[in-house]
Amino acid sequence: MAEERPAKWGLVVDLDRCTGCNACIAACSMENNVPFVGEDEVAYGRALYWIRTQRYWEGEYPAVTPTFQPVMCQQCGNAPCEPVCPVYASVHSEEEQINLAVYNRCVGTRYCANNCPYFARVFNWFDYELPEPMRSYLNPDVTVRRRGVMEKCTFCVQRIVRGRQKARAEGRELRDGEIQPACVQACPAEALVFGDLSDPESRVSQLARSQRRYHLLEELGTLPRVTYLKGVGNHGG
Amino acid sequence: MAVESKPLETVLPAAHVEEDPREHLMFDPRPREEMNRMIMEAMTTTSRRYWAWVIGLALVVLICLFGAWGNMILTGMGLAGIRRPVFWGLFIVTFVFWIGISHAGTFVSAILRVFKAEFRRPFTRASELMTTFGLAAGALFPLIHLGRVWVFYWMIPYPNARWLWPNFRSPLVWDFLAITTYLLSSTIYLYLPLVPDLAMARDRTTGWRHTLYRLLALGWRGTEAEWHRLRRAITIFAFAIIPVMFSVHTIVSWDFAVGVVAGWHSTIFGPYFIIGAILSGVAAVVSILFVLRSTMQHMDYFIRKEHFDALGKLLLVFSMAWAYFFFNDYLLTWYGGEEAARRILTLHATGPAAWVWYLMLICNVLIPWLTLWNRTIRRTPWAMFIITLLINVGMYAERYTIIPLTLGHQRMPFDWGVYTPRPTEISIVIGTFALFLLLYLLASRLIPLVPVWEVQEGQMAHTLRRVGKAEVPSVTELE
Amino acid sequence: MSEKITRRDFLKLTAMGAAATAVMTGCGPMSRYVVRRPYTQMPEYNQTGESTYYASTCRECPAGCGILVRTREGRALTIEGNPNHPVNRGRLCARGLTAQQGLYNPDRVRGPRFQGRGKPTSPPRDLTWEEAVQVVGSALQKPPERIAFLLGLVPDHLFDLVSELTQALGAPPPLRYGALAALDGRTTLLEATRRLFDTPALPYFDLAQAEVTLAFGADFLQAWLSPVTYTRAYGNMRQGNPRRRGELIVFEPRQSLTAGNADRWVPIAPGSEAHVALALGGRVAELRGLPVPEAFRAVSLEEAARVSGIPAAQLEDLAVTFATAERPLALVGGSALTQPNGLVTAQAVLALNALVNNLGQPGGVFLTPAEATPAPLTAVSDLVRRMQAGEIEVLFIHGVNPLFELPAALGFAAALENVPLVISFAPFPDETALQSDYIFPDHSALESFGYQRSLAGADRPAWSASQPVVVPLYNTRATVDVLLAAAQAIGRALPYRDEVDFIQQKILPLLNAGGFYTAPEILTFWSRWLQYGGWWTPAAGLPAPRSPRLPASFGTLTPPPAPAEGQFYLLTYTNHLGDGSGANRPWLQELPDAMTTVTWNTWVEIHPTTAEHLGLKDDDVVRITTPYGAVEASVYRYPAIRPDTIAIPFGQGHTALGRWAEGRGCNPAQILPAATNPAGDPAFIGTTATLMPTGRRRPLARVESKDGVYGEH
Amino acid sequence: MQVKKPWWQSGGVRIALALVLLILFGGAVSGIYLSQIPPEQPIAFPHKTHVALGAQCTYCHPAAAWGPNAGLPGISKCWGCHQQVQKKSPELEKLAGYVQRNEPIPWVPVAIQPDFVKFNHQPHVQAGIACETCHGPVSQMTVALPQPRQNMGWCLDCHQRMRPNDFVRLSDCATCHY
C-alpha cells in the first residue's frame, strides 16, 4: 500500500484565460447541492454562490472594459475564519491543508463569515426545499445543509477524499490532475488549474510560480492557496 | 473609627456653600422605623396602572420576544435582515448595548463604593438590578443570534462522546465564559447587600412574602459578627468584581477587535468599549432613577437632586472620555494607514447611513457637553431623563455604526451590502427591552429598591457640626 | 417543611429538564430508520454508493457538446464534459451543467394529453399513447401538402426521420427554426459561404492559433454557434499559443461578453459593420500589396469612419494591425449579420480572410459539413402565410417554441388560430404547447436516444450520440417512436422498427468511415458509440474553403439611418438563458449574467449619459416601444454600450413554461420586426425604439454592489 | 405558626404537576427505549443460520470489499440458493412470495449513520477490520441488531487505537464529514 502523503491543495486562476462566463458557478452549485434562493433573496444579497465572478469596470467609454475575477474560498494557510469559530466547525485540515466547513458541527454564529476578508462564506438563511422530483439530482456525496449553517467552497473535498480512497484501494499514488473540483472540470476556458502545491512538478505548482502570479489581499497574511495569474496587457483582465 | 472634620469647601464645591446642607439625604435623617416603613410601603403598594404595565410588558415579552424568536428558530435566521456580508446586525448591536448597560450597576456600587463616593448610597441597589437584568436581557442574544440554537451547548466545555471541545481560541468562547462569570458574580454582588434589607422586610411581612424573605434572608439577625462578615464579603466582592467588569466589556470588544475586519481590528477597542459601556450604563441609571422617583412612593426622599447632579458630572466626564477614545480610534486608523479601514471610517461619515454616525456624535458628545456643565440642568430630573435617554440612543447608534455599518463595506467593493433591520429582529429587540422593564417592575415590588441599611449607615456617619457660627457637614469614616 | 418541598420541587424540575433534554437532542437512531429496496437483479455495472457514468450529448443548445452524466441508483446527479469529445473536450457551459434541472423539473408534461388550446370549452384531459398514436396517424393522413412540421435545432435524428417521413408522405420537408440560429445569423453565413466558396457551410474559425482576431458581432464566448469550443479556443489563444498572446478586437455596438474580453472594443454603429469590413478589406489589400478587389472598393475608409462613428485613424490602425499580423483572422456572426447589410458583412469578412490568405491555414477559416441546416426566417414567414391562409391542416411542433421565439410581428399567434390541428411534442408546457390541440411529450434530453451530426464547433467530422441515462420519469414517449408507430398504423410504415433501429441504420455508414474506432458489425459499433458518446475521426481535419470567387459587389449597402431624436437602436442578445428554453432551470435563473450580474429578470441596458439625459435611474421601469409593440423592463445603466443604443437580453418574459419561468421579465421578440436580410435571416439590427419612463421602480436582483462597483448609494 | 398554605403547596396543583412530570418523564424514557429497539424486518432473516452454514458476510454484502456501501442482496441472490433448498418455513414462504411477484424485499438497514457521516466500507475492509468489530456478533443474531453508541467518539477511539501513527489523517474532519 502506498504511504499516504499529506497534500497541499492549490488552485490557479488564470485571469488571462477567464472570460467571466460563470460556468464555474453552475458546476459548483450542481456538484455541491447549493440551493437557489430566488429573485428577492438574491436581490437582498443572500445568494449562496460558493464561487462568484467579481466584475469591475475599468476605464471610461469607449475604452471601458470589465475585469473578471472569480473568487471562491481561498483556503488560506492562515485562515481568519478558523480561530474565531467557537466549535471548530471552521477548521484546518492537517491532511489536505484546506479549510473545512464541518456543517454538522456548525452552530451558526456567522463570525467566520464576518471575519473572512474574501466574503467567501455564505449562510443558509432558511431551509431551501426542492420540489419533487428535483431532489433526485442532489449529490449524495455532499451533505445537504439545513437552515442556520455556514457553508463555503471546499475545493470539492468529497472528490479529494474519493480520489484518495480510490488511489489507496488501487495501491498507487495520486496522479497530478486526477482530482479536479467541479469548477475546474467545467471551466470552458481552462482558466482554472487544480493540484497539489507540495509537489513542485505538478502543473498547478508550475503555474503558481508564474511571473504573473498574485494573491488576493496578500497584505493580510492569510497565505491563500488560490493563486491568480494577472491578465496580460491593460485589457482582458 | 477615626472621626475627622473637614472644612466645608472640600466636602462641597464652592457653589454649594449657600445651599442648606439639610437638603442632602445624608443630612436629612429620619427615624429608622419610619424609613423602613417607607421602603415597605413603596415595595408593597401596587396600583392598577402598575399591573397594567406588568401585563402589557409580559404580553410584549411573550409575543415580541419569545414568539418572534420561536418563529425564527423554526423558519430560519433569514427572518432577520442580516445578509452577506453583514452577518451580524441588530442582535449583536443590542447584545453589546445590554452588556454596556449592565456596567452601570457594578460601576456605581463597586467602584463608587471602593472610592467611597457617598452619594451612591441610595441607588446602588437600583443600579445593581440593572446590571443583573441587563445581563439577563443581553445574554439572550448570543443564543438568539445562533443559526442553530438547539445545539448551543456545543459551546460549553464538557467531556462528550464526540471527543470535541470548544475552540478556546475563539473570542466567542471567551465571551461565553466572561458573561457567565459576570452574570454569576453580579448576581451574588446584588444579593449580598440585599440580605439585611430582606431581613428587615421579613420582619415586617406575613404570608408568601414572609416565606420568601425568610428563605432569602438566610436567617439574618444583624449581630455584630454578621455585619462584620457581610462588610468583609462586600468589600472583597467590590474589589473582585471590578476586574471582572472591565474584562467583560474588553472581551466583548475582542469579539470585534481580534477579527481581521477593517474598522474592528483596533487595539483601542477594549477601553473604548468600556468607556462607552460606563457612559451608557450611568446614563441608564439616571433614566431609571427618574422613573423610580416619579412613580414609586417615598422615592423623592431617597433620590434627590444632588444625586442627579453628581451623576450628571460623572456623565460629562465619561462623555469627554468617550469622545477622546472616539478620536483615538480615528487617530490609530490614520496612523495605521490601512486603506480599507480608512475607507470604512470615511464611509461612516459620508455613506448612505451617515445619519447614524451623526446621531451618535450629537447624542454622545454635543448634547451632554452643551447641557451637563449647567448646574440647573443637572438638578432638573426630567431634563436629565431626556439627556440620558438621548445618550443611550447615541450609544446604540455607536454600536450600530461599529457592527453592521462596518461589516457592509469591507475590502471587496463588489460584495458590499447594506443592511436593513427587519420586523422579526426589531420585535425581538423590543421584546428584550420589555423583558428588562418587566423584570425591573417585578423586582421593584419584591425587593427593597433602596438599600435602607446603607442609607441609614450613611446618615449615621454624616453629621452637621457647629464650628463657630457655622454648621459644618462632617463625615465619619466607618470602616 | 417548605424547605423540603422546595428541594423536592427542585429535584423534579431537574429530572424534567433532563428528560426534556434527552427527548430534544434525540438519543437514538429510531427516527432515522428508512426502508431500502435493493435491486431485484443487481446490475453488474451498478453498485449502490458508486457512480455510473453515461456518455451522451447535451441538447441545451445546438452546439452538441459531449457530456458524461454521473448517475447513482438510477438518478442523474451531475453533468460533466466528455473529455474525448471534439466539440468541448470535457468542458461545459452553465446551460449544459444545469440540464438535470430540466430532467427533474416539476413542471414537465407527464403524459400525452389533449390540451384543447387552453379554451375553457375543451378542458385538457389525459390520453393514452394508443390514442395519441391514433391521433398522429389520422393527422398524417391529411392531404400531404397541408401537413407541416416545425422542428427545433435539436435533435438531428428526429429531423432526419421527419425528412424521410415527409418524403414518403409527399409532404413538404420539415422546417427547422430556433431563435438561437436566427440570432447567430446562421442562414446568412450559409448563404455567404455558398456565394463565395460554392458550398453552403458554417465556417469554423481556428481562434486558438490566430494571433490577431477581428470579430464582427459574434458573441462566441457566450452564445454564438458553439460557445464552449470558442471559449476553450479563446483561452488557448491567450495563453496556449507558444508564439505569442493572441489579440482580440471586437466590433459591436454593445459590449457583449466577447467584447468585454477583447483587447479593444470598437463601439461600432449598428448596421455599419459591412462598411467597416469593406473599408478595412480595401486597406488591408493595399497594405499587403495586393490589388484591391472590386467588391472592396465600394466603401472608402473615410466613409466607413463617417457611417460607423469610428475615427478613421483608428480604422487605419486596425487595418495595419490586421494586415501586418502573422496569423490574422476575421470572424463574423450575430448582430453583424442579423441586419439589412448582413449578407454583405458576412461575405466581406469571409473575403477579408481570403485576402490575408488564412483559408484552411492554422489560425484560419475552415468549413464544417452543413447538414440539416435551419430554415431562414423567410421560410417560416412563408409557413405563417400559409397557415394564415388556411392552407395548413396539421402542424406538428417539436423542439421549438415559436410563440415565444418568433418575432410577434410575424403573426404566428394569429396564424395558429387558422390551423385546425396543432400537435406539440414539447416535454414542457411552453407557450406553444399550451396553444396546441395535443401535447404528446417527448422524453427529456437525458432520457432519449439520438444523435447530433452538424457540430459547428468540431474541428473534425464528428457525430455526437445521445442515450438515456435514466429510466423515463413519466409517461413520455420518444417522438420518433410515435411517428414510426403512427406511420405504421396508417399503412405508410418506414423501414425502421423503432428509434434505436432508425439510429443504428443511420450510423451504419460510419462503421468503416475512418473513425477512432471501427467495428465489424453494428452491435459492436453501437456499444462503442454509446460508450464514447459518438463517433469522430482520430485526427483533426476539416475541408479548407477553396479560394473565393469575389463578385464585383457583395450586394447593395444601405447605410444605417441615424435614429431620430428620442429614438434608440434596439439590440437583443442571448446570454446564458439562450433561446429562453433555459428559463425554467432555476439555477440558470439564479446565475448572474456575466456582464451585468443581474439574475432572475430582464433589464434594459442604457448608457449612463443617455440615462442621465433622460432622467432615468437604475431600476426605473421604462416602456420600450417599437412600431411592433412595447415591453417594460428595469433600467440597468450599462457603461459599455453606445449612447444611441439600448439592449435587452433574450430569454425571459415567458407566459408559460413552469413556475420559474412564468411572469418574469419581458420578451424582446414581442417588439422585434419581422424584416429579413437578403439571406433570409432576421434583420433586427437597425430597429429603433423609444423609451418612456413609467414612473415605477423595480429593483433588479444584481449580485454586484452598486455602491462598491459604481460608487452609488 | 399560622401560615396560609401557598397555592403551589395545594394538593390539586401538586397532583397536576406530578402528572405532567410523569408524562414528560415517561415520554422521554419510552422515546429512548423505542429508539433502541431494532425495527421490524419484512423477513426475520436468521443471520445465525447462514453464518453457521459457512456463508461469508461478503457473499451477500459483497460491495463492502470495494465500495462505500456493503449493499443488500437482491432476491436473485437469495433465490440462487433457496431455489434448491426444500425446507419449508413461513419466512421462506415470504421470500418465495417476493420472488414470485418480482418485488424487492423492503429491508430496513440497522447499521446506519446520519447523512453527514460519509462512511466507506472499503478502506476498513482493506485494513483487515472484521465485520463483527462494528456490526457486533452477527453470527449469533437472527435479524441484525443495531449496535449501541456508534458515535463519533467510538470511531475516533478505534482510529486512534488501530492506527496511532495515522491518527492525524484519521481524525481529520474531512475524513467523514463533507
Side-chain angles (χ1 to χ4, degrees), chain C residues 44 91 146 231 262 415 422 432 442 489 580 600 651:
Chain C
E44 275 172 46
R91 307 295 166 165
R146 290 177 163 259
T231 306
V422 181
T432 316
D442 196 355
W600 289 98

Side-chain angles (χ1 to χ4, degrees), chain B residues 143-160:
Chain B
L143 297 181
I144 291 172
H145 100 121
L146 283 188
R148 299 206 296 165
V149 68
W150 51 94
V151 286
F152 82 94
Y153 57 89
W154 286 348
M155 291 204 276
I156 305 169
Y158 69 101
N160 57 64

Side-chain angles (χ1 to χ4, degrees), chain B residues 361-406:
Chain B
L361 283 187
I362 289 169
C363 292
N364 282 355
V365 178
L366 199 66
I367 289 176
W369 289 18
L370 287 183
T371 54
L372 291 180
W373 60 270
N374 184 307
R375 186 161 177 271
T376 320
I377 296 178
R378 284 202 308 270
R379 288 180 157 259
T380 315
W382 61 265
M384 288 299 287
F385 178 66
I386 292 170
I387 292 166
T388 51
L389 276 189
L390 284 176
I391 288 179
N392 264 320
V393 169
M395 284 311 296
Y396 200 87
E398 185 227 25
R399 277 83 181 231
Y400 194 88
T401 310
I402 288 178
I403 300 164
L405 296 188
T406 300

